[in-house]
Amino acid sequence: MIPSQEIDLSIAQTGLLWSGGKSERDVARLHGGATKLPLLTIRQSRPASGYGRNHIVRFTHVTFDSDGTSFILANQLGSFFVFNCSKNKYHLAYRSGLACTALALSTNRTHGILVGHVDKSVRQYSQDTGGESAKVEAHAACTHTVAWDPNNTGDFLSAAADEVILWRPQSKQPRRVLQGAKGVGVQKALYTPDGSMILTCFR
């Protein structure tokens, strides 16, 4: 059995997930298939002023892509890190400076990262360059859910407390607006795996 890997993002913002070139499956096999042992621990801190202890940087959101080979991690400072388990590497994708309220990662690298921000905007970022490729002014309230169309069309949805909006990034205009939840509030919205339907949950 080998010890689980620990990554401190305040020391290295790009690198290997597991040392020695191991993949996620290699590490799981060396752990004997035990499910109660962590394969990876991630943390981040920043120096305190003076001689105080370092401040812990909180992670606010984490999500896998639809095939489970990569996940993205957002911290309270508005930075996004992409972790690719199949390629055994991670990197800092972008520093937005805005805390996020919702997060989604596409399996299609062209579509990249979808983020709902505290300024009520929804923005699309490239996984490779970190550049912002699209921005829409979404809701009157903070966006609590974003999701990519599973069919890799590039369309996505965003949801806030009172409505769900379907978007096409090229036009930056809503394709559809699903309303009627102002009395009860939208808790969650998501595509079905084949992308043929959208499920909404109310409070």
Side-chain angles (χ1 to χ4, degrees):
M1 186 181 297
I2 62 172
S4 63
Q5 183 79 10
E6 293 190 1
I7 296 174
D8 188 342
L9 297 176
S10 56
I11 297 174
Q13 297 182 336
T14 183
L16 297 177
L17 298 181
W18 297 282
S19 59
K22 298 180 178 65
S23 69
E24 178 188 20
R25 290 182 179 179
D26 293 334
V27 175
R29 187 165 54 251
L30 289 169
H31 271 281
T35 57
K36 294 183 179 180
L37 295 174
L39 299 181
L40 186 66
T41 302
I42 303 166
R43 58 173 56 91
Q44 188 177 10
S45 61
R46 57 179 173 171
S49 58
Y51 297 97
R53 297 178 62 184
N54 286 356
H55 295 295
I56 299 298
V57 176
R58 293 184 296 108
F59 298 124
T60 58
H61 288 77
V62 61
T63 185
F64 277 93
D65 62 10
S66 59
D67 62 11
T69 59
S70 298
F71 64 93
I72 184 169
L73 187 66
N75 67 20
Q76 68 186 87
L77 306 176
S79 297
F80 310 105
F81 297 85
V82 174
F83 298 78
N84 190 316
C85 300
S86 61
K87 294 184 178 180
N88 189 29
K89 63 181 182 180
Y90 72 93
H91 69 279
L92 172 66
Y94 194 69
R95 288 190 180 98
S96 70
L98 290 169
C100 86
T101 58
L103 193 61
L105 180 63
S106 174
T107 54
N108 187 328
R109 297 185 70 84
T110 303
H111 302 152
I113 304 164
L114 194 60
V115 184
H117 284 292
V118 291
D119 66 352
K120 303 174 186 177
S121 67
V122 175
R123 308 185 193 209
Q124 181 181 352
Y125 300 100
S126 166
Q127 285 192 53
D128 299 315
T129 66
E132 181 182 311
S133 54
K135 175 185 175 182
V136 295
E137 301 295 338
H139 302 274
C142 282
T143 302
H144 60 60
T145 302
V146 291
W148 288 108
D149 180 346
N151 294 315
N152 282 327
T153 61
D155 294 355
F156 65 88
L157 66 78
S158 63
D162 59 347
E163 62 185 4
V164 180
I165 302 178
L166 306 183
W167 298 93
R168 179 156 287 169
Q170 295 86 341
S171 66
K172 298 184 180 180
Q173 296 295 322
R175 289 185 61 202
R176 295 284 190 276
V177 180
L178 310 178
Q179 295 178 322
K182 292 185 178 180
V184 291
V186 178
Q187 180 80 32
K188 188 78 173 178
L190 68 157
Y191 287 97
T192 55
D194 64 0
S196 64
M197 293 188 292
I198 293 171
L199 304 180
T200 56
C201 306
F202 300 101
R203 297 181 188 277

